[in-house]
Amino acid sequence: TAVAKELPSLALEKARFTAEIREGEWRVSGVDVVDLLFSANHGEELRALGKVVSGGELSRFMLALKAVSAKDETSKVLVFDEVDAGIGGEAADRVGAKLRGLSDHAQILCVTHLPQIATYGTTHYRVKKMTVNDRTTATVDRLDDEARTAEVARMMTGTRLSDAVLQTARELLEGEHQ
């Protein structure tokens, strides 16, 4: 019930979720069989989560699950990698807001490619992969305000960092969620 209540805040307003528990045959893991049933769209029947969920829906479903479990624990670090899979626009903005809200209960580390999500963070790191002497290495740099603005602009447009794009990045970073 708690997970289902989180879904609308992640741009899944019509989604429904339930867990059905039934008795199966005795196994080492127990006798209960749990079926996770999901429908993202109005008028669609509940079906096995793993068979009907898209990548973007699964990312947001897992975020809803983590949001519910994080509220019950303290001193926790939650790591999200590719939570932005298959989403953009309003859904990305809602995911960013949910992650920011989770930071009240846990340390959040989020790897994202979407500026809408990145701007909700309080600290921004850039990870770069490179090949040196036929080996892939990565560097991690903490960004100051100016570098963060440039990175958000790069996330929006790639290499075209015009004054207008940099201004838009500043506006995103200074938005209501800050």
Side-chain angles (χ1 to χ4, degrees):
T1 301
V3 171
K5 287 180 181 176
E6 291 286 335
L7 296 174
S9 69
L10 294 167
L12 290 168
E13 290 85 356
K14 305 291 184 191
R16 293 178 297 132
F17 165 70
T18 190
E20 288 185 355
I21 303 171
R22 58 186 162 78
E23 191 173 306
E25 294 186 25
W26 180 255
R27 298 182 300 275
V28 173
S29 60
V31 70
D32 293 331
V33 176
V34 179
D35 293 317
L36 303 179
L37 304 175
F38 181 80
S39 170
N41 302 303
H42 180 71
E44 296 293 321
E45 65 183 70
L46 290 165
R47 296 192 181 163
L49 178 77
K51 294 188 185 232
V52 298
V53 72
S54 72
E57 292 162 351
L58 182 60
S59 295
R60 289 177 282 162
F61 175 82
M62 293 304 297
L63 180 53
L65 192 62
K66 291 280 192 179
V68 169
S69 65
K71 292 175 183 171
D72 296 331
E73 299 180 32
T74 58
S75 302
K76 189 172 188 176
V77 176
L78 298 175
V79 179
F80 295 95
D81 186 9
E82 304 292 337
V83 72
D84 54 12
I87 65 170
E90 181 183 352
D93 193 54
R94 292 205 193 173
V95 166
K98 180 63 68 177
L99 290 167
R100 182 64 173 257
L102 278 176
S103 71
D104 292 341
H105 306 285
Q107 175 73 41
I108 305 298
L109 177 62
C110 179
V111 178
T112 186
H113 302 280
L114 295 178
Q116 297 98 315
I117 293 175
T119 60
Y120 276 91
T122 56
T123 305
H124 195 135
Y125 294 88
R126 179 181 47 228
V127 179
K128 281 184 166 179
K129 283 186 182 180
M130 63 192 86
T131 303
V132 177
N133 298 328
D134 291 328
R135 296 275 327 245
T136 300
T137 61
T139 61
V140 180
D141 297 306
R142 184 176 180 164
L143 304 180
D144 62 18
D145 290 344
E146 185 177 329
R148 185 177 188 201
T149 299
E151 182 63 12
V152 169
R154 187 203 58 77
M155 292 171 82
M156 291 189 302
T157 64
T159 58
R160 300 178 317 240
L161 300 183
S162 68
D163 289 341
V165 172
L166 288 166
Q167 181 57 35
T168 300
R170 277 186 213 91
E171 289 172 10
L172 279 172
L173 286 163
E174 296 167 358
E176 294 177 13
H177 55 273
Q178 297 302 322

